[in-house]
Amino acid sequence: MDSNAEKELEKHIQNQVSWDALPLHAKSILENSQTKWKQYVIKFSIKHQLRWKTNLVRKFVSDERLYYQEIVRSSVSKLVLYPYHIIDKLVGLLNVTPFKYYLVMMTETMANSKSYDELPNFTAVDCLRMLGVGRNQYIDMMNKCRTKGFLFKKKKDVIKSLLPSRTMEKSIEYWWILNAGLHIAEEERGCSQEELDILSELRVSPKQAGIFDRESVLSLLARGLIFIDVPIANSDFISVPPLEGFVMNRVSGDYFENLLYKIFVSIDERTNIQNLAELIQVDEELVKQAASLYCRLGFAKKKNLEPLVNNDDQTDSVLIKTKWNQSWIDYNASISSNSNSGVITQQQQQQQSQQQSQQESNISEESTLDVKPILRIGLIFDSSIIAFLMMGNLGYGLKNHAVTMFEVGKLANEALDDFLGELAKIDIGEFVDGEARRYATSAVALRDTIRFLRYNEKIPATMAGLDLLSCERMNSLEEATRQRVLLKNYAMLISMSPFATDSCPVISVTPAHFGPAIYEAASIWFKLYVYSIVGTGPNSILLPKGSRLKKIPNVFRDCEKLRICSLDHESMNINLSQLLPTVNEALLSSPVLVQAFSYVKFDSSTTKQSRHASREQTIREQLSIIDVPFPLDPLPETTSNSSDSSANYVITGEYTSENMHLHPDVRRIDNIFDLSHSIGYISMLRKEVHVPTENCYRTTWIPYNIYFGIPIFDASLNQRVFEKIERYQLLSESNIAQHNHCSRVLSINLLRFISSTCPPVHPDLDVIDQNKINTTLPSVQNLPLPTQNISFVNGSLEF
């Protein structure tokens, strides 16, 4: 059954369509079998943990208790999160509290000698919160079990003796709702009178936790006599600060887990739950379930906290017990004019409610006015930056931010002050040459980039704030959803550069994007396109996937070093002697672009670098690449009056980073691709050619690539790009319009070039109007693959 068929059936289940009312097409999917419809409904309902009473499954499963038992069994076996949205049924009918649920899960996991890494991320976090069992504790308990040497049937008893007998849950907010659980006489006999009084009140109706004594609440929770509900309303605003205590294990692909990550990258504290659900087109109840879970796990905070209220109409005031945690006391002090008394009067509650209603009314009124919103800048990063922050030993304080960037996929403007504070502690001088220093340099360049985009007075006033966005997380959203999220929140997007080979840039026309205009513009296709248009570049051969290289091509026989580029691995530098085995292995999974990089016999660059050391920074250090930021500065006034002055202007002496912008090929690239409105840099490669008649090496410079975005790997180039942005006002509204047009023209020409070398990538490409810059180009995230050898040799492109 394909995904479209599944979606159709799921829609009918959600709409509670009976078999008789099911459309003929849906019945044909099920082979006209009512039994298969019943099985599908039950399977879907259990997988999605649907409530029995309000869903179609009740027509096929008459025993409500049996249905919830199957949900628990299935959920435990699949290691998914506790179904908090039906906690009232699981506790009320089955006495399955979150603690008991995870106790069974952990026991089964350890009894089967599974690795701790098999627990999905969110499940591992909740296990740690409930049982106090993290990675280290799990490994320690497994070692103790192995030393016992018991038979399997006794192994579970040993495991249970090592696990806690009471829940470790301690963090409770004042606004969370307490509910009475199942009556357990044995547990109630050990309760104090105050605890019994709390139980009596809760059996009448659920109440906010803040009106009770904290220690009594925790005691009742540990005994399993009460359970907690974290209420989220449509009007609530949720913020996600840097994650603390997140367990990075694995992603299971469970539907609810996918939803959690989808909401993670989409949520912001300026959008309430109802608007967020509309934005990402997800049912409001599912969004509230996700937000409730974030708050429960401590990963999110509710911004519009309601006053502490008493549900007892006969009580005129609410007394906050002095034993409760400090956060509740602080809250009481902030909203009460008489903080010493610890009492909120009914009049004060009414005033607070009126103020809150007025604020919500103002927000609603502002949203309906035709006022241009204050949007942010989105800085797009890829996973390599996260690796720098996590693996570079740059400071413990950066770990939480790196985890947030990876898991949430976003670091919001509200968290950047703390992030910048941690980045400011990095001292590059403390790191010796090597990977650690590269990590530190990239982190400092990231810090400078954030400061520049966030505090620069020349950036238009319509942009307020900066969010860091993960290209991987943003691209995981459906295209339409991604565009809605970007359009709502951002005035423009700017990508870091270059991206890792296995990362795809975020494609956007509105808001404008200073980065690769389409996916193909950050691929091996783009290099060949640049060489073919400019008429010069390193000798290169693009080999299709599945082909075999039987001998060293003649064009590479004089090379000392070659550059190997594929679609699924980082590029690498290799010796000529390693060409055949390296390329043939890579061709098994990807097309490969082989390029001449060095003819210098004394070049001592290493054979293969690590993932991050092998990126363009290594090329620059060892193969002499000079980067030229654009837009280019004008030529000196002394240049020729010829119409093609850039071609006639020649410098004396060697080209360096100071005068490379005068190189004829650099000026030609700028003219052809109209880079005067874009952000990025041109990379020029040194080519040492041996001249036999003179018995020496002659140095020439040829184009290597064009990169769009802000470089993070090189601090000096990073600053020079900033100067270009300021000098030429690249972030102004007038320049953005010009940039969009130039990007579109480049994209269309690139797509036509790719179509000319292999089967048409986009059959309708010829009818695309270049003037319509606000429509999405038909770029594809799965890049087209070459079907034949394509070579660029001695300035000529050949098929």
Side-chain angles (χ1 to χ4, degrees), residues 305-343:
L305 293 177
E306 62 271 20
L308 190 64
V309 298
N310 191 341
N311 292 335
D312 188 352
D313 296 334
Q314 297 178 355
T315 305
D316 294 331
S317 64
V318 178
L319 180 63
I320 298 181
K321 305 292 184 178
T322 57
K323 291 183 180 181
W324 196 256
N325 62 28
Q326 189 62 40
S327 64
W328 290 19
I329 298 174
D330 291 343
Y331 173 80
N332 177 50
S334 68
I335 61 175
S336 174
S337 60
N338 185 7
S339 58
N340 293 329
S341 67
V343 174

Side-chain angles (χ1 to χ4, degrees), residues 45-112:
S45 302
I46 291 174
K47 178 182 177 181
H48 290 74
Q49 303 166 336
L50 300 183
R51 190 173 287 272
W52 179 85
K53 187 175 182 179
T54 56
N55 284 279
L56 186 61
V57 69
R58 71 184 183 280
K59 296 182 179 180
F60 300 108
V61 180
S62 58
D63 191 331
E64 181 180 12
R65 181 185 179 88
L66 182 63
Y67 170 71
Y68 287 118
Q69 282 179 340
E70 183 59 25
I71 286 181
V72 171
R73 186 204 62 79
S74 175
S75 299
V76 169
S77 66
K78 294 178 181 178
L79 305 178
V80 301
L81 278 161
Y82 181 87
Y84 285 105
H85 60 288
I86 52 174
I87 188 174
D88 57 325
K89 293 297 181 180
L90 300 190
V91 173
L93 291 177
L94 308 177
N95 192 27
V96 177
T97 64
F99 172 74
K100 294 178 180 178
Y101 177 87
Y102 288 118
L103 192 65
V104 172
M105 181 185 294
M106 188 62 66
T107 302
E108 293 293 332
T109 302
M110 295 179 67
N112 292 308

Side-chain angles (χ1 to χ4, degrees), residues 499-504 519-520 522-526 542-545 564-571 586-587 589-593 611 780-786:
F499 276 163
T501 301
D502 54 358
S503 297
C504 289
Y519 299 114
E520 293 84 347
S523 71
I524 54 182
W525 286 111
F526 187 61
L542 178 58
L543 303 169
K545 175 184 175 181
I564 307 299
C565 310
S566 64
L567 296 180
D568 54 359
H569 290 90
E570 286 296 328
S571 302
L587 284 171
S589 59
S590 168
V592 176
L593 178 67
R611 168 181 168 86
V780 290
Q781 192 162 355
N782 296 320
L783 294 172
L785 302 180

